[in-house]
Amino acid sequence: MKILPSFFCLLLCLSASPSWADDGKPTNDFLGLQSDPNPFSSQHILEFWGYHDYQGSGDYSNTLRLRYYQPAALDSWRGTLRLDTAYVANYGPSEINQSSRSYSAGNTMLTVWGNHPGFLENWGGTLGGRIIFPFGNNGQWTLGPQVGQVFQSVEGSHALLNDFSPLMRYLYGFAASGTPLSNQPPPLRRLGLYPTLGFNITPNTQIRLWDENGVYYNTAGGGWFVPIDAMVTHRFNKDFLIAIGASKQVVQTYQEYNWSVYGKLSFNF
């Protein structure tokens, strides 16, 4: 399983190396797709998510998540700010409070990514990072960098493959100042790999693989979590999209969940 991060890094390196057109100019194509030089929406996006996860041994978790995307610009830099916050209910034999109706604060996190035309201008990828705040996160701060790229099918090509959007993110957790370590779970130290693929079913409907849930490697103690993750999205109009998805672990030497079903309502404005 150690070949997985090496393979994913190879994909990123290949995507970062531009191919060359007949006129000698870099095209930055990959797998027949074209690198999107501006993969950022100019619209604000508000999403409402719901998740139902089975953890194993009769334990379940329900999560309600609010997610907001904000376009960002600073001089020539273009990017996106994403804010997530959630309420979570855990219940089952190993939980003291077994009521699925009792919610408590979940993770609140801020993610930023973008690019600058003067930095690796022939690449077209994005650099960024994520921070998870200690409230609702067992008193831990978590932060780390991410790198990604978006490849889109040529407009008007009607290709089955709509996009390939690989993303790699590393998260490093540590206890907040003054929090007793005895009350803490092990700090999160995790590499996340998202080999996201989007396939067109109809002009307004897609199936997306490893978009919401990716492959994780526990860098602290070892172990992999590899799911099959698929989400079907349908856009009713330019302002409204719905999605339903499911994820099932196939390799779990690092504990995440056994299976998950989820959905979202997405509003553009």
Side-chain angles (χ1 to χ4, degrees):
M1 296 302 293
K2 291 183 179 180
I3 194 174
L4 279 177
S6 299
F7 176 70
F8 195 83
C9 290
L10 177 61
L11 286 179
L12 285 175
C13 291
L14 289 174
S15 68
S17 301
S19 58
W20 296 85
D22 293 337
D23 59 4
K25 295 180 179 179
T27 62
N28 217 5
D29 292 350
F30 185 66
L31 296 178
L33 305 173
Q34 290 186 344
S35 176
D36 189 344
N38 185 30
F40 311 109
S41 173
S42 60
Q43 292 185 299
H44 304 76
I45 303 174
L46 182 64
E47 296 181 343
F48 299 90
W49 288 80
Y51 308 79
H52 179 65
D53 301 342
Y54 177 59
Q55 310 293 346
S57 303
D59 293 328
Y60 293 85
S61 176
N62 292 329
T63 303
L64 300 176
R65 182 178 301 279
L66 182 67
R67 182 176 295 171
Y68 174 68
Y69 295 84
Q70 167 73 43
L74 181 62
D75 192 22
S76 297
W77 181 87
R78 295 293 181 272
T80 300
L81 307 179
R82 175 181 138 185
L83 179 65
D84 292 64
T85 190
Y87 279 97
V88 180
N90 299 314
Y91 60 100
S94 66
E95 299 292 334
I96 298 176
N97 182 2
Q98 299 185 24
S99 172
S100 61
R101 300 179 181 179
S102 178
Y103 283 83
S104 59
N107 284 346
T108 295
M109 55 192 179
L110 176 66
T111 312
V112 182
W113 67 94
N115 60 24
H116 190 285
F119 180 72
L120 297 176
E121 59 182 345
N122 292 330
W123 174 36
T126 63
L127 298 173
R130 168 171 289 180
I131 179 171
I132 304 177
F133 299 97
F135 36 93
N137 192 33
N138 299 310
Q140 291 184 18
W141 288 89
T142 306
L143 52 86
Q146 69 177 49
V147 56
Q149 190 161 7
V150 176
F151 296 90
Q152 291 277 358
S153 60
V154 178
E155 187 174 357
S157 66
H158 305 291
L160 175 62
L161 180 60
N162 179 76
D163 69 280
F164 170 54
S165 308
L167 174 73
M168 180 165 55
R169 178 188 295 124
Y170 181 70
L171 292 175
Y172 183 93
F174 53 94
S177 177
T179 303
L181 294 178
S182 59
N183 298 331
Q184 293 281 313
L188 180 66
R189 308 281 166 82
R190 187 176 76 186
L191 176 67
L193 309 174
Y194 296 80
T196 306
L197 293 165
F199 295 90
N200 294 314
I201 301 175
T202 71
N204 296 315
T205 305
Q206 286 188 358
I207 182 168
R208 303 191 60 78
L209 306 179
W210 298 289
D211 191 323
E212 181 62 14
N213 297 288
V215 176
Y216 305 129
Y217 176 69
N218 178 24
T219 61
W224 285 92
F225 176 80
V226 182
I228 297 296
D229 179 73
M231 175 172 58
V232 177
T233 69
H234 180 74
R235 181 166 292 281
F236 287 92
N237 53 53
K238 64 183 181 65
D239 299 322
F240 180 54
L241 177 145
I242 65 170
I244 56 172
S247 186
K248 177 68 174 72
Q249 58 86 6
V250 291
V251 175
Q252 187 168 237
T253 53
Y254 166 55
Q255 177 68 33
E256 277 290 305
Y257 53 82
N258 189 283
W259 54 258
S260 173
V261 292
Y262 56 89
K264 74 170 178 177
L265 302 175
S266 179
F267 299 89
N268 294 49
F269 57 94

